[in-house]
Amino acid sequence: MTEQFYYPSFLHRDRLVHILDADAATCEALSVLFRLEGFQTSFANEASGFLLAAERRPPDIALVNIRVGQEDGLAILRRLKTIRTGTPVFILEDRPEVDSAVLAMKAGATDVFPKPIDSERLVRAVRDALRQDIQLGTVARDGRRSVEVRGFDQLTPREREVLQLITNGQSNKEAGRELGISPRTIEVHRARVMEKLGARNTADLMRIVLTS
């Protein structure tokens, strides 16, 4: 069993991606991929070490192979759901298996990725899952935690809309198009949001939201 931890200092520095795959090369590649994206990563090549690490520190995202030796990835998925309700779990497959994919989704998997893994789509899916877990100012539901950002109650309705779009990764131009206002106006709202929430820059603003 191999288990390693990395602690980067970028946008998702407080978010842990926990990987379980019998193939060491897959673990290494996915770990590097998500470290470059600014996440912390942990990985293991067998289930017992993976679950022990998950119990010590529940992951924010889990990537689990559908089969790890004699272990059933679906059983591990269910165990993870008991450790931390609402954790997005992505199932990996060494080869496409339609029946297993259907069972995985029914068991609560967020998505299924056969190898060779489309890394761009996987990273996008992970970010989408985290954004769904951060519904600003909403009441927790379906096991998802609500987020209360200090200073959020000082924001105007328009500033809250702009904050949500920023959190979704939209540019000033894209946000302006969606709200029907100019990119310059978006920039003004963004500056006011950052001032009220105590953010020094956009990356700092994202950290405040993601770690609140």
Side-chain angles (χ1 to χ4, degrees):
M1 187 270 288
T2 303
E3 184 183 351
Q4 300 180 15
F5 289 84
Y6 304 92
Y7 298 93
S9 57
F10 304 108
L11 180 60
H12 295 289
R13 63 184 180 184
D14 296 315
R15 297 286 180 158
L16 173 64
V17 177
H18 201 359
I19 306 157
L20 172 61
D21 197 293
D23 180 52
T26 296
C27 288
E28 291 278 4
L30 290 174
S31 181
V32 169
L33 172 67
F34 282 97
R35 278 188 290 142
L36 289 174
E37 291 293 325
F39 291 86
Q40 297 179 31
T41 67
S42 169
F43 64 79
N45 302 130
E46 50 90 12
S48 61
F50 175 86
L51 290 171
L52 282 174
E55 288 174 352
R56 287 198 302 268
R57 182 185 170 186
D60 295 284
I61 294 287
L63 310 178
V64 177
N65 198 301
I66 193 75
R67 289 184 176 80
V68 183
Q70 300 301 313
E71 298 291 337
D72 179 6
L74 297 184
I76 297 168
L77 184 158
R78 296 186 186 98
R79 177 73 180 276
L80 279 172
K81 293 294 185 178
T82 66
I83 293 174
R84 181 173 181 174
T85 302
T87 297
V89 180
F90 294 85
I91 293 295
L92 310 179
E93 296 180 323
D94 292 326
R95 65 187 65 83
E97 301 178 36
V98 176
D99 292 343
S100 295
V102 170
L103 290 174
M105 298 301 287
K106 288 182 176 179
T110 300
D111 206 343
V112 178
F113 285 80
K115 297 179 181 179
I117 296 169
D118 184 334
S119 59
E120 183 177 342
R121 189 170 76 86
L122 177 59
V123 169
R124 186 166 59 249
V126 165
R127 291 187 180 282
D128 287 345
L130 288 175
R131 278 198 291 267
Q132 290 172 18
D133 195 38
I134 302 170
Q135 299 296 320
L136 297 178
T138 63
V139 178
R141 60 181 182 277
D142 298 330
R144 292 175 180 164
R145 61 187 178 279
S146 61
V147 176
E148 295 181 3
V149 181
R150 182 177 300 175
F152 183 76
D153 57 350
Q154 300 175 21
L155 302 181
T156 66
R158 177 63 86 188
E159 288 168 352
R160 295 185 187 197
E161 289 177 331
V162 170
L163 176 58
Q164 185 67 68
L165 294 176
I166 293 171
T167 305
N168 289 341
Q170 297 190 24
S171 67
N172 289 347
K173 185 176 181 180
E174 292 168 336
R177 186 183 304 118
E178 181 162 334
L179 296 178
I181 56 181
S182 71
R184 174 58 183 164
T185 302
I186 291 290
E187 187 176 337
V188 171
H189 285 309
R190 181 194 293 251
R192 289 174 179 166
V193 168
M194 291 171 60
E195 181 181 0
K196 290 178 180 180
L197 299 187
R200 293 165 296 181
N201 49 47
T202 301
D204 196 24
L205 178 64
M206 292 290 287
R207 278 194 292 270
I208 290 171
V209 174
L210 291 173
T211 61
S212 294

